[in-house]
Amino acid sequence: MLILDCPYCGVRCDETELTPGGEAHLTRHGPGSDDADFERYLFQRRNPRGVHLERWRHAYGCGKWFHAARHTVTMQVFGTYPAQTTEPPADIVERIRASDPDWTFGDDT
Amino acid sequence: MRRYSAFAIAREALRHHTGWERAWKSAAPKSRYDVVIVGAGGHGLATAYWLGRNHGITNVAVIEKGWLGGGNTGRNTTIIRSNYLQDPSAALYEKSRSLYETMSQDLNYNVMFSPRGVLMLAQTEHEKRGYLRTAHANALQGITTRFIGPAEVKKICPIMNIDGPRYPVLGGLWQERAGTARHDAVAWGYARACSDMGMDIVEQCEVTGVTRDGARVTGLSTTRGDIACDKLGIVVAGHSGRLAEMAGFRLPVESVPLQALVSEPIKPCMDIVVMANTVHGYMSQSDKGEMVIGGGTDGYNAYTQRGSFQHIEETVRALVETFPMISRLKMLRQWGGIVDMTGDRSPILSRTPVENCFINCGWGTGGFKATPGSGWAFAELMATGASPLTAAFGMERFREGRFIDESVAAGVAH
């Protein structure tokens, strides 16, 4: 069972209390964008076998969206952070690099 | 290849079974092939088989990271059916179902195809209306299904509790010629036939890179050396994203664990397959007597081949209400497979942005039933550049908005 700490209300929740929301840090393309951008935003995913930054909602708690950094093979959680950001905070990046030194945050969506 | 037959069994019985030969040759990779298929699961092996049978291409290697049929081919609940709503899906899955009917004879390998009938339960009014619609669509597609009422459901499957109250059975979509097959045997049978045609099946050989000359694929680097090829077929299910990344493109696919479990063996009590899509519970009884149960997928990406316990709990809790007699069964094994989900819950059989590189993925939670048809169609696509069965399943459909929307059409299960 996956356990994450909600960065807003501080509650340690197991996954039944949360709703998964898919890949984090996607660029939301709006009207006027071309087809390729829309396709990237709506469908194409990094789907990494390794470190994954994703969105979660504390559905049966404070109701807020937050982000989590998790490893998709070992299920190690590197930390959670508020959703109002465009990249993971430095302390989480440091923890990720401790387990995967080559990892970089790629904002290419 | 020595044919399997009743006579062969008698002959071997008289000489202490010393004459059986290996079903397929264990090969070391050569430096070049006309076609390399990555992934020796059912779909990859079926592709190789039909490349040889239908298109005369036998200079083929099927390479596999682990062991043959050890991924989702060996992890599914073996359900075969073709009662889909959308025309392109129905065509592809019905082709596949019909190939299962003669597969044991075609391959000279007993795949134990058992057309015992598949019943998809309607447990909400919404589901009932959906299945009535599917039954009408199937009639137009030439696929034999019909919607049956609760009384007939009870007659076909007496162990079912149809009264609810939580999950009442309002009827079901019944496909009589659907059923199950032995999943390992499908992979083994294809491997044996491919090996017999002179193809190389290379296990324990992991792809580490895809080599390109500009926009054209030229080969692979693997843990057992470099392999050049004219055409490359990627058929690796949950790990498609990884191979696509090596080849230099991105897929509209996400990988999630899907779980299944089996009970202790009991006496025969259920001779059909039941799918309860509202509650994500799928059940049939194996020839050994185990109740084979499929569950739902996790909601988040993972490559753990394990899955989250809460989904097992949900599935079993719901099935116990519909099948009260299973409440005292002990479960023997539980496992997960990594399934590749697309946005419209339909597969991708497609050319890719890389020339001569083709991809067959996105089968999500229901690829086993499609194994022979997928191989047939994908082989045609790879050999000739186009196939009527794959035309609608190109990866460009997401950009163009031409979805084959089975996620809404079929409720949830595929």
Side-chain angles (χ1 to χ4, degrees), chain B residues 211-410:
Chain B
T211 45
R212 287 165 48 168
D213 177 10
R216 201 164 55 85
V217 73
T218 54
L220 294 167
S221 5
T222 75
T223 49
R224 296 180 66 175
D226 291 350
I227 305 171
C229 63
D230 294 341
K231 288 181 182 173
L232 175 67
I234 299 173
V235 198
V236 295
H239 292 73
S240 297
R242 299 257 297 155
L243 266 290
E245 192 184 345
M246 290 178 198
F249 59 95
R250 194 174 283 190
L251 287 170
V253 162
E254 293 195 80
S255 298
V256 295
L258 171 68
Q259 297 177 75
L261 63 164
V262 296
S263 75
E264 59 189 328
I266 54 173
K267 286 186 175 176
C269 63
M270 181 173 156
D271 59 0
I272 63 166
V273 180
V274 172
M275 309 182 67
N277 294 328
T278 295
V279 297
H280 290 293
Y282 315 102
M283 192 163 82
S284 62
Q285 190 169 20
S286 74
D287 293 344
K288 284 185 286 185
E290 301 162 332
M291 303 308 288
V292 182
I293 297 173
T297 55
D298 284 2
Y300 50 87
N301 296 22
Y303 288 82
T304 56
Q305 293 194 327
R306 190 168 65 229
S308 198
F309 185 74
Q310 56 143 325
H311 287 290
I312 286 296
E313 196 182 359
E314 268 172 21
T315 295
V316 170
R317 193 168 54 208
L319 284 179
V320 163
E321 290 215 23
T322 306
F323 301 93
M325 65 159 279
I326 68 168
S327 67
R328 306 286 289 275
L329 284 184
K330 294 183 184 72
M331 290 299 152
L332 288 189
R333 300 186 298 280
Q334 174 273 351
W335 65 93
I338 305 305
V339 297
D340 38 346
M341 309 291 278
T342 59
D344 61 0
R345 300 295 184 262
S346 287
I348 294 170
L349 295 110
S350 181
R351 296 160 167 281
T352 67
V354 181
E355 207 182 318
N356 289 344
C357 174
F358 300 81
I359 190 148
N360 180 350
C361 70
W363 291 96
T365 59
F368 174 71
K369 70 171 84 71
T371 304
S374 156
W376 174 290
F378 194 54
E380 189 175 18
L381 175 69
M382 288 190 73
T384 67
S387 164
L389 287 171
T390 67
F393 292 96
M395 60 190 279
E396 68 285 351
R397 72 175 187 269
F398 295 96
R399 188 170 61 245
E400 296 167 358
R402 293 183 297 102
F403 310 117
I404 306 167
D405 197 347
E406 292 291 354
S407 65
V408 176

Side-chain angles (χ1 to χ4, degrees), chain A residues 15-16 76:
Chain A
E15 62 180 275
T16 56
Q76 182 184 356

Side-chain angles (χ1 to χ4, degrees), chain B residues 14-26:
Chain B
L14 292 174
R15 56 177 184 188
H16 305 287
H17 295 280
T18 52
W20 298 116
E21 48 186 24
R22 290 183 72 105
W24 63 88
K25 290 187 289 286
S26 174

